[in-house]
Amino acid sequence: MIIFQLLINSLISGLILALIAVGFYLIFNTTKVFHIAHGAFYTLGGFIFLWFLEFMHISFFFSIIISLICIIILSALVELLIYKRLSKNNASQAITLIASMGIYLLLINPVVLVFGNESKIIQNYYSSSFDFSELILTQIQFIQFIISIVILTIILLFGNSRFYLKIKAVMSNQDVASVLGINFNSIRIFSVCFGSVLAAIACILRLYDTGINPYSGLSMTLSAAVVVILGGGYSLGGTIIASLLISFIQSFTEFFISAQWKEGITFLILIVVILWKTEGIVNFKMRIEEK
């Protein structure tokens, strides 16, 4: 029964990771930036929500709306003021990576200043649980499962839309997409904002369960990067499946070995994948004759 309990917990954690990974997937493939700052937007989404809910005493619904609006505004500013300008100047991907790391630090430091380094968790009003023989599913886990499934289902349906074909065109070749009349600037802004909102939603869901600390976004971003690579780089479905796989590996490592090895195993997988995927996670575009 312990194995089944681990599988259930891993499934729910994997679905939340999938929200973060799909967001990273959209941003990474449309902007060609290894978006370390994704972790900052993950963290900010949760802490902004926490601020308005518990410190400003605004209702749950409006706290979510305000926090997501803030994330949309901040992510749009990052794209317009930094990523877009770097792209116009043909900055190397190493430069954009460093810029993204700088954005991450710039956004996280105010969070630490206001909230401190300690982990935060919102008082859980959904404390009861559903018992199935020896299996236990808490109400918050059930809510996490339903919300994640609904959002991911919508995303998969969105993957068959005409608008997503435009996104795929920009992912494939921005210059060709522009020639075809696709406004790649609007596609980039949409991808950055939508991807950041997905990360913020994932953080809010975790606030009611395991809680978060100001630095948790970085490890989640690196896990999302591993997921995107394992998922095939350009596949929504593959990204979701890889999220579940990574979550299972992390959960079983934490239970059977040690929680200290949880992130280490993920990074080991990252190294192995990079060695196997010779073009790497930054310079992933190669000519056919170079492959």
Side-chain angles (χ1 to χ4, degrees), residues 43-173:
T43 304
L44 278 173
F47 278 99
I48 292 174
F49 170 76
L50 178 66
W51 172 266
F52 282 104
L53 183 68
E54 295 205 339
F55 293 92
M56 302 299 292
H57 303 291
I58 296 176
S59 68
F60 172 84
F61 176 78
F62 283 107
S63 294
I64 289 180
I65 297 299
I66 294 171
S67 62
L68 295 185
I69 289 175
C70 290
I71 292 300
I72 290 172
I73 293 173
L74 286 172
S75 58
L77 288 175
V78 167
E79 163 59 18
L80 292 172
L81 299 180
I82 302 176
Y83 290 166
K84 182 179 178 180
R85 293 190 177 187
L86 289 174
S87 178
K88 282 187 175 182
N89 294 332
N90 295 317
S92 68
Q93 290 180 322
I95 294 298
T96 59
L97 172 61
I98 294 172
S100 185
M101 292 174 63
I103 295 167
Y104 172 84
L105 294 174
L106 182 65
L107 295 177
I108 288 300
N109 284 337
V111 174
V112 175
L113 183 64
V114 174
F115 293 95
N117 293 306
E118 298 80 12
S119 295
K120 303 294 182 182
I121 187 170
I122 294 179
Q123 183 178 356
N124 189 358
Y125 297 101
Y126 306 98
S127 57
S128 62
S129 60
F130 305 99
D131 297 333
F132 305 95
S133 185
E134 296 182 8
L135 298 179
I136 299 175
L137 181 66
T138 64
Q139 282 189 349
I140 188 60
Q141 284 182 315
F142 180 75
I143 292 171
Q144 289 174 332
F145 175 79
I146 295 298
I147 292 176
S148 299
I149 285 291
V150 170
I151 294 175
L152 292 173
T153 300
I154 292 173
I155 289 172
L156 289 175
L157 293 175
F158 170 71
N160 296 319
S161 67
R162 295 182 63 181
F163 183 73
Y164 186 72
L165 288 177
K166 296 180 180 181
I167 295 178
K168 291 284 287 185
V170 173
M171 289 180 179
S172 179
N173 192 307

Side-chain angles (χ1 to χ4, degrees), residues 221-232:
T221 298
L222 293 176
S223 294
V226 178
V227 164
V228 170
I229 296 170
L230 290 179

Side-chain angles (χ1 to χ4, degrees), residues 195-258:
S196 300
V197 164
L198 289 177
I201 292 173
C203 187
I204 293 172
L205 290 175
R206 283 193 176 276
L207 264 174
Y208 280 93
D209 188 10
T210 58
I212 60 166
N213 65 70
Y215 305 106
S216 59
L218 183 58
S219 62
M220 296 302 296
T221 298
L222 293 176
S223 294
V226 178
V227 164
V228 170
I229 296 170
L230 290 179
Y234 287 93
S235 171
L236 279 173
T239 299
I240 295 173
I241 293 173
S243 298
L244 299 177
L245 176 62
I246 289 296
S247 179
F248 290 144
I249 293 173
Q250 290 181 340
S251 295
F252 279 78
T253 299
E254 185 176 9
F255 183 81
F256 289 105
I257 302 178
S258 171

